[in-house]
Amino acid sequence: MWKLNDNYLKLPGSYLFSTIGKKVNEFTEAHPEKSIIRLGIGDVTLPLAPAVIEALHKAVDEMAVKETFKGYAPDLGYSFLREAIAKNDYADKGVNVTADEIFVSDGAKCDSSNIQEIFSADCKIAVCDPVYPVYVDSNVMAGRAGEWDPKKEMFTNVIYMPCTAENGFVPELPKETPDLIYLCYPNNPTGTTLTKDQLQVWVDYANKVGAIIIYDAAYEAYISEADVPHTIYECEGARSCAIELRSFSKNAGFTGLRLGFTVVPKDIKQGDVMLHSLWARRHGTKYNGAPYIVQRAGEACYSEAGKAQLKEQVAYYMKNANTIYNGLKEAGYTVFGGVNAPYVWLQTPDHMTSWEFFDKLLNEAGVVGTPGSGFGPSGEGYFRLTGFGTYENTVAAVDRIKKL
Amino acid sequence: MWKLNDNYLKLPGSYLFSTIGKKVNEFTEAHPEKSIIRLGIGDVTLPLAPAVIEALHKAVDEMAVKETFKGYAPDLGYSFLREAIAKNDYADKGVNVTADEIFVSDGAKCDSSNIQEIFSADCKIAVCDPVYPVYVDSNVMAGRAGEWDPKKEMFTNVIYMPCTAENGFVPELPKETPDLIYLCYPNNPTGTTLTKDQLQVWVDYANKVGAIIIYDAAYEAYISEADVPHTIYECEGARSCAIELRSFSKNAGFTGLRLGFTVVPKDIKQGDVMLHSLWARRHGTKYNGAPYIVQRAGEACYSEAGKAQLKEQVAYYMKNANTIYNGLKEAGYTVFGGVNAPYVWLQTPDHMTSWEFFDKLLNEAGVVGTPGSGFGPSGEGYFRLTGFGTYENTVAAVDRIKKL
């Protein structure tokens, strides 16, 4: 008799954003006359840049002609894209990552949930708290997280590293030694960062205890301060302990186009076996490459025109984030993030819970954000707003919040 | 100390098509003057149909404008595509599958390798032998296949069901009861089929013993005979025991565009839990939807123009398959498949092994095919040729083989 993977049954409730969507729908049905401004989910709103659109049309035309038609892509990505990434994201920044260490995929969500598969089932994971839910949930499904403790709102076999205003959102090295450490900087959901020195501490720690850092740098394009590293490979020793995940979703608006990549340096080994070989084997067996037309769109992000256009898009979203940050600060809120990331993380007023503040904001201001507690117990008492809306809506939302 | 998933180390050698690629490269380097005709890998050669190209351009234009830009897709696929599939592939054929039982993905390779994740680690799988390697390899990676027995060329904990000329390529019900049964019809690699009555035997068996059938129908578009089922849901009782995988790769040439779907009927349950819920949760956590523009391309396959154009493409490849089938038969080969599938499966002459025949064909005729033994031990002594080349190359290849 077949049996289902009962690890799935350990996952509490539904996915955070489904719950939010449900609440918003209920509100809209009850109050169809009220306008809603959504600054909750991290989806972009600007259309694709002209250089990207041009590349897509051109690639589509190639697919229409026998001589230039492209069938199966190379499992690990087309050379033209891997080379462009290696040059622009690494070599040009003085960082040693080669094209054949770059694995092109259909996005960082897939990569960040699939990467755990190449590790042993008994590896113990450490995550920041609050955290992007996918890291934990994918490990729950794989049976690595233990049981859900509904009282603590934590899994019994996961090391949670609190990141709160008290420690400046810099996680402390854990007491118990993890095997896999998930770090996301600039951080989702808090919008905070580590300096290069602070990240070096983690790289040194990982090399010392024999842990792997899974470094999610999906928001790299939003870094504005000089001492914030753009890649973990700026840190000495990272090539022997760190995997880096990158995305085209937030720097180029590819949320609906789907493109990302993962760097697995060939220096990460166990005995004679490169971790790189396992990830390559996974790609070869369980994946069939990102669409050719989308990879060409990715390449266009690195053209001179593409770079300039994407810089403007990022600036637009950062103007929104600054508007939220400064507006709420003026209104007396305690706010974080918003400087090197499109997310503003605020402390809820009057000791409200995150969901209480969610309801208040929805009901009284018609603004949708994301309750901090949805990202983990240390997110309780916090709330996330994103700079990914339109500028007009962002200004209007801040005005409404100020009037609360 | 981190540890890698050592199940990966149980996988023997490299992926079949990598080995073939290497051999062909070596030959080409040694004999740069000789022309090679590739009838090995199942990749298509015709460009995308005009209706598909038109839909792609239109969708790209939508992505260029704020008002019509699309960010994150619904995890399970856009309604417009799920409805088109439900209508055309199921309702119009009198089969009961609803749009919300259809999960859109980036292809059947991903789905066929990921589907095992929602089952318990101790489920035992049964596969046809020969078989598309992904079914077995994905289960090896998940630790479900036992150890590799290099002598038998089999994994110790997998039930292999031989499909050879002796049993007409119809697998017998296994002696040991499996939990998951992988069936692919029309079959890759043999090109053979089951009649509806023969498939009904499997559905009845699965319902009786409590097994799930994972039915890969990627080659459905090539069915030409009336008694061959287009979907497993034509069989009575399949809704409570069968998952169906479908692809746009072979009917519409999407190998480089990436689109597929999986049907998980809501009738498949364990206690109160629908298997459908687990797959939905997996999509929501580990996947972020197929690109909007590709889903629009998929929708175009169901337009009147799209249907007519794709029918022509399928006819073109089937003409190739018939050319191979008839040509080799005339030349005295024993051949199978090629009637309801783009694959021709031939018995190697003079008791040669599959790889011996591969080398002979490459060296003496400059034709690349796929050794049957690469698909499993019962594939030894067989060889696969595909109808996916150009007509001119196919005719030339058959001529060269005839002259051997």
Side-chain angles (χ1 to χ4, degrees):
Chain A
M1 179 73 192
W2 68 277
K3 280 186 292 196
L4 45 79
N5 176 353
D6 53 14
N7 292 311
Y8 276 62
L9 309 181
K10 299 174 185 170
L11 289 164
S14 64
Y15 190 59
L16 172 61
F17 294 106
S18 314
T19 312
I20 293 173
K22 214 175 140 195
K23 277 190 176 250
V24 174
N25 284 345
E26 282 166 8
F27 179 82
T28 313
E29 275 171 33
H31 308 280
E33 77 290 355
K34 294 208 179 164
S35 87
I36 297 280
I37 301 176
R38 291 161 201 267
L39 301 179
I41 199 164
D43 200 358
V44 297
T45 45
L46 292 177
L48 293 176
V52 172
I53 293 291
E54 196 187 323
L56 281 169
H57 277 307
K58 196 171 155 230
V60 169
D61 283 335
E62 287 181 64
M63 298 292 276
V65 182
K66 201 166 192 168
E67 289 68 30
T68 51
F69 172 77
K70 300 284 184 302
Y72 289 122
D75 294 328
L76 312 185
Y78 277 101
S79 287
F80 62 77
L81 180 56
R82 301 171 86 190
E83 298 285 352
I85 293 167
K87 179 183 183 305
N88 289 278
D89 285 321
Y90 297 104
D92 286 358
K93 291 177 178 161
V95 170
N96 173 25
V97 166
T98 56
D100 64 354
E101 295 175 321
I102 292 162
F103 295 76
V104 175
S105 76
D106 63 334
K109 184 178 177 191
C110 295
D111 283 353
S112 68
S113 59
N114 290 332
I115 193 76
Q116 46 79 25
E117 291 180 27
I118 61 173
F119 295 97
S120 169
D122 60 2
C123 280
K124 186 145 193 172
I125 71 160
V127 295
C128 291
D129 171 23
V131 69
Y132 175 52
V134 166
Y135 309 151
V136 176
D137 290 358
S138 57
N139 278 287
V140 173
M141 291 168 167
R144 214 178 265 111
E147 302 298 324
W148 176 244
D149 181 335
K151 219 168 154 184
K152 291 186 177 169
E153 299 199 336
M154 287 174 165
F155 282 92
T156 53
N157 199 37
V158 171
I159 300 170
Y160 292 84
M161 307 182 293
C163 296
T164 61
E166 283 68 41
N167 60 14
F169 300 95
V170 178
E172 287 163 37
L173 297 177
K175 287 183 193 93
E176 188 183 358
T177 306
D179 302 301
L180 305 176
I181 302 164
Y182 288 81
L183 295 178
C184 172
Y185 287 101
N187 187 253
N188 173 17
T190 68
T192 60
T193 49
L194 295 185
T195 63
K196 190 174 159 183
D197 289 348
Q198 287 169 329
L199 185 57
Q200 185 68 54
V201 170
W202 281 93
V203 170
D204 293 343
Y205 171 75
N207 276 321
K208 192 179 127 203
V209 302
I212 297 289
I213 297 175
I214 297 165
Y215 191 73
D216 184 346
Y219 299 91
E220 175 273 337
Y222 293 86
I223 294 170
S224 67
E225 294 182 317
D227 61 348
V228 178
H230 286 255
T231 154
I232 195 167
Y233 304 112
E234 288 182 33
C235 294
E236 212 173 316
R239 283 187 53 88
S240 60
C241 70
I243 292 169
E244 182 163 288
L245 312 177
R246 297 282 278 267
S247 166
F248 287 78
S249 287
K250 307 305 162 94
N251 65 324
F254 278 31
T255 52
L257 208 54
R258 311 306 315 145
L259 194 66
F261 63 90
T262 288
V263 178
V264 185
K266 294 190 175 179
D267 298 6
I268 307 180
K269 287 182 189 174
Q270 196 147 78
D272 287 341
V273 184
M274 289 193 298
L275 196 61
H276 182 279
S277 308
L278 266 65
W279 190 240
R281 184 75 197 226
R282 192 199 176 279
H283 263 251
T285 303
K286 299 183 77 175
Y287 186 56
N288 229 335
Y292 172 72
I293 58 177
V294 175
Q295 295 196 49
R296 281 292 181 199
E299 182 191 30
C301 296
Y302 297 105
S303 68
E304 285 315 303
K307 280 182 193 172
Q309 291 159 10
L310 298 184
K311 209 172 160 184
E312 273 180 43
Q313 291 197 348
V314 167
Y316 178 89
Y317 293 131
M318 281 309 291
K319 191 169 112 184
N320 291 345
N322 293 339
T323 301
I324 299 169
Y325 184 91
N326 293 324
L328 295 192
K329 206 167 181 180
E330 279 168 31
Y333 285 86
T334 306
V335 286
F336 307 96
V339 177
N340 297 294
Y343 294 126
V344 174
W345 188 244
L346 60 98
Q347 263 174 337
T348 58
D350 308 324
H351 303 288
M352 293 171 85
T353 68
S354 298
W355 278 109
E356 283 167 358
F357 188 70
F358 175 91
D359 289 333
K360 183 182 169 74
L361 217 58
L362 176 61
N363 292 318
E364 297 176 24
V367 173
V368 180
T370 313
S373 57
F375 298 101
S378 293
E380 183 57 276
Y382 292 90
F383 199 79
R384 190 187 79 173
L385 291 170
T386 92
F388 287 125
T390 65
Y391 180 65
E392 297 69 30
N393 277 344
T394 305
V395 170
V398 170
D399 278 350
R400 292 188 193 178
I401 298 173
K402 277 183 171 174
K403 284 180 192 144
L404 274 183
Chain B
M1 180 73 192
W2 68 277
K3 281 185 293 196
L4 46 77
N5 177 352
D6 53 15
N7 291 313
Y8 276 62
L9 308 181
K10 298 175 186 169
L11 289 164
S14 64
Y15 191 58
L16 172 62
F17 294 106
S18 315
T19 312
I20 293 173
K22 216 175 139 194
K23 278 191 174 249
V24 174
N25 285 342
E26 282 166 9
F27 179 82
T28 314
E29 275 171 33
H31 308 281
E33 77 290 354
K34 293 210 178 160
S35 88
I36 296 280
I37 300 176
R38 290 162 203 267
L39 301 179
I41 198 165
D43 200 357
V44 296
T45 45
L46 291 177
L48 292 176
V52 171
I53 293 291
E54 195 188 323
L56 281 169
H57 277 307
K58 195 172 157 232
V60 169
D61 283 335
E62 286 182 63
M63 297 292 277
V65 182
K66 202 167 191 165
E67 288 68 30
T68 50
F69 172 77
K70 300 285 183 302
Y72 290 122
D75 293 328
L76 312 187
Y78 278 100
S79 287
F80 63 76
L81 180 56
R82 300 170 86 190
E83 297 286 352
I85 293 167
K87 178 182 184 305
N88 289 278
D89 285 321
Y90 298 104
D92 286 358
K93 291 177 178 161
V95 170
N96 173 25
V97 167
T98 57
D100 65 353
E101 294 176 320
I102 293 162
F103 296 76
V104 174
S105 77
D106 63 335
K109 184 179 176 189
C110 294
D111 284 353
S112 68
S113 59
N114 290 331
I115 194 76
Q116 46 79 25
E117 291 181 26
I118 60 174
F119 295 96
S120 169
D122 60 3
C123 281
K124 186 145 194 173
I125 71 160
V127 295
C128 291
D129 171 22
V131 69
Y132 176 51
V134 166
Y135 310 151
V136 175
D137 289 359
S138 59
N139 278 288
V140 173
M141 291 168 166
R144 213 177 266 113
E147 303 298 324
W148 176 244
D149 182 334
K151 219 169 154 185
K152 290 187 179 167
E153 299 199 333
M154 287 177 166
F155 282 92
T156 53
N157 198 38
V158 170
I159 301 169
Y160 292 85
M161 306 182 293
C163 295
T164 60
E166 283 68 42
N167 61 15
F169 301 96
V170 178
E172 286 163 38
L173 298 177
K175 287 184 193 90
E176 188 183 359
T177 305
D179 302 301
L180 305 176
I181 302 163
Y182 288 80
L183 295 178
C184 172
Y185 286 101
N187 187 254
N188 174 17
T190 65
T192 59
T193 48
L194 295 186
T195 63
K196 191 175 159 185
D197 288 346
Q198 286 169 329
L199 186 57
Q200 185 68 53
V201 170
W202 281 92
V203 170
D204 293 342
Y205 171 75
N207 277 322
K208 190 180 127 201
V209 301
I212 298 289
I213 296 174
I214 297 165
Y215 191 73
D216 185 344
Y219 298 91
E220 175 273 336
Y222 293 85
I223 294 171
S224 67
E225 294 181 317
D227 61 347
V228 178
H230 286 256
T231 155
I232 195 168
Y233 303 113
E234 289 181 31
C235 294
E236 211 175 318
R239 283 187 55 88
S240 60
C241 70
I243 292 169
E244 182 162 286
L245 312 176
R246 298 281 279 265
S247 167
F248 287 78
S249 287
K250 307 303 163 93
N251 64 325
F254 277 32
T255 52
L257 207 54
R258 312 304 316 142
L259 194 67
F261 62 90
T262 288
V263 177
V264 186
K266 294 190 174 178
D267 298 6
I268 307 180
K269 287 183 188 174
Q270 195 147 79
D272 286 342
V273 184
M274 289 191 298
L275 196 62
H276 181 279
S277 308
L278 265 64
W279 190 239
R281 184 75 197 226
R282 192 200 175 278
H283 263 249
T285 302
K286 300 184 77 175
Y287 186 56
N288 229 335
Y292 171 72
I293 57 177
V294 176
Q295 294 195 49
R296 282 291 182 199
E299 183 191 28
C301 296
Y302 297 105
S303 68
E304 286 314 305
K307 280 182 194 172
Q309 291 160 11
L310 298 184
K311 209 172 160 184
E312 274 179 42
Q313 291 198 348
V314 167
Y316 178 88
Y317 294 132
M318 281 310 291
K319 191 169 110 182
N320 291 345
N322 293 340
T323 301
I324 299 170
Y325 184 90
N326 293 324
L328 295 191
K329 207 167 179 181
E330 279 168 30
Y333 285 85
T334 306
V335 286
F336 306 96
V339 177
N340 298 293
Y343 294 126
V344 174
W345 189 244
L346 60 99
Q347 262 173 336
T348 57
D350 308 325
H351 302 289
M352 295 172 82
T353 68
S354 298
W355 278 108
E356 282 168 358
F357 188 69
F358 174 90
D359 289 333
K360 183 182 170 71
L361 218 56
L362 175 61
N363 291 317
E364 297 176 25
V367 173
V368 180
T370 313
S373 58
F375 298 101
S378 294
E380 183 58 276
Y382 291 90
F383 199 80
R384 191 187 78 174
L385 291 171
T386 91
F388 287 126
T390 64
Y391 180 65
E392 296 70 30
N393 277 345
T394 305
V395 170
V398 170
D399 278 349
R400 291 188 193 178
I401 298 174
K402 279 183 171 175
K403 285 180 192 141
L404 275 182

